[in-house]
Amino acid sequence: MTDMTEVTTTTGLDELWPLLRRRTQARIGLGRSGPALPTRHRLGLQAAHAAARDAVHSPFDPDRVTAGLAGLPTVRVRSAAGDRLTYLQRPDLGRRLDPVDRAHLPAGSWDVVFVVADGLSSRAVHAHAAAVVRATAARLPAWRVAPVILAEQARVALGDDIAHTMSTALVVVLIGERPGMSAADSLGAYLTYRPVPGVTTDADRNCLSNIRPPRGLDYETAAAKLAGLMGRARELGRTGVELKDESDHAEVLNRIL
């Protein structure tokens, strides 16, 4: 790698920072105007903050997700958090199913249930969730896939309640991640084997984060990783810290060697 001093000497700082900023979404080398940020960067920061707030408060549109699922059957449920303010103030209620909606969950013998949950960014769910479900389900031709559950005012652990109620071995929760100042549309996928509400912890889950092409993980890569983890979870009878994603090991070793 070229020494940073040499790069600075040959190109100058004014030319270097734009090159580096094109490689990352981090706010680096913004400079200053007196004691403050330059106006254009301050406005950019305010715009990013507004986008993050909008992502958190924008309503979930299940019809939009259903339209992208290409005919896959769906069931709509809500958590015990009756509105957005309650959801934000009471995370515990977002982990429990509404009692009325619990009775609407279908009975059957399923290998996996996909839960599409609004989480903290409906924008992420609207943009990416349906494509990830389709790409993953296409890699599971022999699996019994339950109807896709569309969950409103939902936390990750709501999937535990859903899978336990439906007697489903595996649950995949696709959920809008907490928006940051560089990404308001990041989708996370959480895989859990035989969860038990109130007992299963985050250590019992596997997570793929930052699904958001072209800046993050693309749909096919996410689906390949997720399907691979699901197959191993079924073989081993576990998920979480005891289940590792080894899909990139050969590539990493090739780079090292």
PDB file of all heavy atoms in Angstrom, residues 228-242:
ATOM      1  N   GLY A 228     -27.308 -20.783   3.825  1.00  0.00           N
ATOM      2  CA  GLY A 228     -26.251 -21.623   4.361  1.00  0.00           C
ATOM      3  C   GLY A 228     -26.341 -21.770   5.865  1.00  0.00           C
ATOM      4  O   GLY A 228     -26.200 -22.883   6.413  1.00  0.00           O
ATOM      5  N   LEU A 229     -26.592 -20.667   6.551  1.00  0.00           N
ATOM      6  CA  LEU A 229     -26.745 -20.711   8.004  1.00  0.00           C
ATOM      7  C   LEU A 229     -27.971 -21.525   8.408  1.00  0.00           C
ATOM      8  O   LEU A 229     -27.938 -22.275   9.387  1.00  0.00           O
ATOM      9  CB  LEU A 229     -26.858 -19.291   8.562  1.00  0.00           C
ATOM     10  CG  LEU A 229     -25.570 -18.477   8.635  1.00  0.00           C
ATOM     11  CD1 LEU A 229     -25.873 -17.015   8.960  1.00  0.00           C
ATOM     12  CD2 LEU A 229     -24.622 -19.055   9.686  1.00  0.00           C
ATOM     13  N   MET A 230     -29.035 -21.389   7.646  1.00  0.00           N
ATOM     14  CA  MET A 230     -30.248 -22.138   7.964  1.00  0.00           C
ATOM     15  C   MET A 230     -30.023 -23.644   7.838  1.00  0.00           C
ATOM     16  O   MET A 230     -30.463 -24.428   8.692  1.00  0.00           O
ATOM     17  CB  MET A 230     -31.386 -21.689   7.039  1.00  0.00           C
ATOM     18  CG  MET A 230     -31.867 -20.274   7.310  1.00  0.00           C
ATOM     19  SD  MET A 230     -32.906 -19.604   5.981  1.00  0.00           S
ATOM     20  CE  MET A 230     -34.316 -20.702   6.081  1.00  0.00           C
ATOM     21  N   GLY A 231     -29.308 -24.047   6.792  1.00  0.00           N
ATOM     22  CA  GLY A 231     -29.014 -25.463   6.628  1.00  0.00           C
ATOM     23  C   GLY A 231     -28.171 -26.007   7.760  1.00  0.00           C
ATOM     24  O   GLY A 231     -28.441 -27.098   8.294  1.00  0.00           O
ATOM     25  N   ARG A 232     -27.156 -25.252   8.159  1.00  0.00           N
ATOM     26  CA  ARG A 232     -26.299 -25.682   9.266  1.00  0.00           C
ATOM     27  C   ARG A 232     -27.064 -25.677  10.589  1.00  0.00           C
ATOM     28  O   ARG A 232     -26.873 -26.559  11.430  1.00  0.00           O
ATOM     29  CB  ARG A 232     -25.086 -24.759   9.371  1.00  0.00           C
ATOM     30  CG  ARG A 232     -24.081 -24.928   8.253  1.00  0.00           C
ATOM     31  CD  ARG A 232     -23.352 -26.264   8.375  1.00  0.00           C
ATOM     32  NE  ARG A 232     -22.475 -26.289   9.532  1.00  0.00           N
ATOM     33  CZ  ARG A 232     -22.073 -27.400  10.149  1.00  0.00           C
ATOM     34  NH1 ARG A 232     -22.499 -28.573   9.723  1.00  0.00           N
ATOM     35  NH2 ARG A 232     -21.249 -27.335  11.185  1.00  0.00           N
ATOM     36  N   ALA A 233     -27.944 -24.697  10.776  1.00  0.00           N
ATOM     37  CA  ALA A 233     -28.730 -24.637  12.010  1.00  0.00           C
ATOM     38  C   ALA A 233     -29.609 -25.868  12.145  1.00  0.00           C
ATOM     39  O   ALA A 233     -29.755 -26.441  13.230  1.00  0.00           O
ATOM     40  CB  ALA A 233     -29.588 -23.377  12.015  1.00  0.00           C
ATOM     41  N   ARG A 234     -30.180 -26.312  11.044  1.00  0.00           N
ATOM     42  CA  ARG A 234     -31.038 -27.498  11.087  1.00  0.00           C
ATOM     43  C   ARG A 234     -30.218 -28.748  11.369  1.00  0.00           C
ATOM     44  O   ARG A 234     -30.679 -29.650  12.087  1.00  0.00           O
ATOM     45  CB  ARG A 234     -31.811 -27.634   9.776  1.00  0.00           C
ATOM     46  CG  ARG A 234     -32.883 -28.691   9.837  1.00  0.00           C
ATOM     47  CD  ARG A 234     -33.959 -28.501   8.787  1.00  0.00           C
ATOM     48  NE  ARG A 234     -33.474 -28.729   7.432  1.00  0.00           N
ATOM     49  CZ  ARG A 234     -34.287 -28.883   6.381  1.00  0.00           C
ATOM     50  NH1 ARG A 234     -35.595 -28.795   6.543  1.00  0.00           N
ATOM     51  NH2 ARG A 234     -33.791 -29.081   5.178  1.00  0.00           N
ATOM     52  N   GLU A 235     -29.009 -28.816  10.825  1.00  0.00           N
ATOM     53  CA  GLU A 235     -28.137 -29.970  11.073  1.00  0.00           C
ATOM     54  C   GLU A 235     -27.687 -30.028  12.530  1.00  0.00           C
ATOM     55  O   GLU A 235     -27.687 -31.092  13.158  1.00  0.00           O
ATOM     56  CB  GLU A 235     -26.911 -29.898  10.175  1.00  0.00           C
ATOM     57  CG  GLU A 235     -27.188 -30.113   8.697  1.00  0.00           C
ATOM     58  CD  GLU A 235     -25.946 -29.877   7.864  1.00  0.00           C
ATOM     59  OE1 GLU A 235     -24.852 -29.733   8.458  1.00  0.00           O
ATOM     60  OE2 GLU A 235     -26.049 -29.840   6.620  1.00  0.00           O
ATOM     61  N   LEU A 236     -27.285 -28.863  13.062  1.00  0.00           N
ATOM     62  CA  LEU A 236     -26.698 -28.809  14.404  1.00  0.00           C
ATOM     63  C   LEU A 236     -27.739 -28.659  15.502  1.00  0.00           C
ATOM     64  O   LEU A 236     -27.463 -28.948  16.670  1.00  0.00           O
ATOM     65  CB  LEU A 236     -25.704 -27.652  14.490  1.00  0.00           C
ATOM     66  CG  LEU A 236     -24.494 -27.708  13.552  1.00  0.00           C
ATOM     67  CD1 LEU A 236     -23.678 -26.420  13.659  1.00  0.00           C
ATOM     68  CD2 LEU A 236     -23.621 -28.917  13.875  1.00  0.00           C
ATOM     69  N   GLY A 237     -28.916 -28.158  15.142  1.00  0.00           N
ATOM     70  CA  GLY A 237     -29.945 -27.925  16.152  1.00  0.00           C
ATOM     71  C   GLY A 237     -29.657 -26.733  17.017  1.00  0.00           C
ATOM     72  O   GLY A 237     -30.048 -26.699  18.189  1.00  0.00           O
ATOM     73  N   ARG A 238     -29.009 -25.721  16.450  1.00  0.00           N
ATOM     74  CA  ARG A 238     -28.699 -24.514  17.230  1.00  0.00           C
ATOM     75  C   ARG A 238     -28.394 -23.334  16.306  1.00  0.00           C
ATOM     76  O   ARG A 238     -28.037 -23.533  15.141  1.00  0.00           O
ATOM     77  CB  ARG A 238     -27.514 -24.762  18.158  1.00  0.00           C
ATOM     78  CG  ARG A 238     -26.203 -25.049  17.438  1.00  0.00           C
ATOM     79  CD  ARG A 238     -25.061 -25.252  18.418  1.00  0.00           C
ATOM     80  NE  ARG A 238     -25.219 -26.500  19.131  1.00  0.00           N
ATOM     81  CZ  ARG A 238     -24.633 -27.638  18.766  1.00  0.00           C
ATOM     82  NH1 ARG A 238     -23.875 -27.675  17.675  1.00  0.00           N
ATOM     83  NH2 ARG A 238     -24.801 -28.738  19.452  1.00  0.00           N
ATOM     84  N   THR A 239     -28.523 -22.156  16.849  1.00  0.00           N
ATOM     85  CA  THR A 239     -28.071 -20.925  16.195  1.00  0.00           C
ATOM     86  C   THR A 239     -27.353 -20.084  17.244  1.00  0.00           C
ATOM     87  O   THR A 239     -27.227 -20.478  18.396  1.00  0.00           O
ATOM     88  CB  THR A 239     -29.256 -20.118  15.616  1.00  0.00           C
ATOM     89  OG1 THR A 239     -30.282 -19.980  16.621  1.00  0.00           O
ATOM     90  CG2 THR A 239     -29.841 -20.787  14.384  1.00  0.00           C
ATOM     91  N   GLY A 240     -26.865 -18.931  16.826  1.00  0.00           N
ATOM     92  CA  GLY A 240     -26.212 -18.019  17.765  1.00  0.00           C
ATOM     93  C   GLY A 240     -24.713 -18.204  17.808  1.00  0.00           C
ATOM     94  O   GLY A 240     -24.071 -18.501  16.797  1.00  0.00           O
ATOM     95  N   VAL A 241     -24.138 -18.062  18.988  1.00  0.00           N
ATOM     96  CA  VAL A 241     -22.677 -18.075  19.123  1.00  0.00           C
ATOM     97  C   VAL A 241     -22.062 -19.421  18.759  1.00  0.00           C
ATOM     98  O   VAL A 241     -20.862 -19.504  18.501  1.00  0.00           O
ATOM     99  CB  VAL A 241     -22.255 -17.667  20.558  1.00  0.00           C
ATOM    100  CG1 VAL A 241     -22.649 -16.241  20.856  1.00  0.00           C
ATOM    101  CG2 VAL A 241     -22.871 -18.613  21.596  1.00  0.00           C
ATOM    102  N   GLU A 242     -22.875 -20.471  18.740  1.00  0.00           N
ATOM    103  CA  GLU A 242     -22.360 -21.802  18.407  1.00  0.00           C
ATOM    104  C   GLU A 242     -22.475 -22.122  16.918  1.00  0.00           C
ATOM    105  O   GLU A 242     -22.136 -23.223  16.488  1.00  0.00           O
ATOM    106  CB  GLU A 242     -23.099 -22.860  19.224  1.00  0.00           C
ATOM    107  CG  GLU A 242     -22.875 -22.728  20.730  1.00  0.00           C
ATOM    108  CD  GLU A 242     -23.582 -23.816  21.505  1.00  0.00           C
ATOM    109  OE1 GLU A 242     -24.675 -24.231  21.068  1.00  0.00           O
ATOM    110  OE2 GLU A 242     -23.055 -24.250  22.533  1.00  0.00           O
TER     111      GLU A 242
END
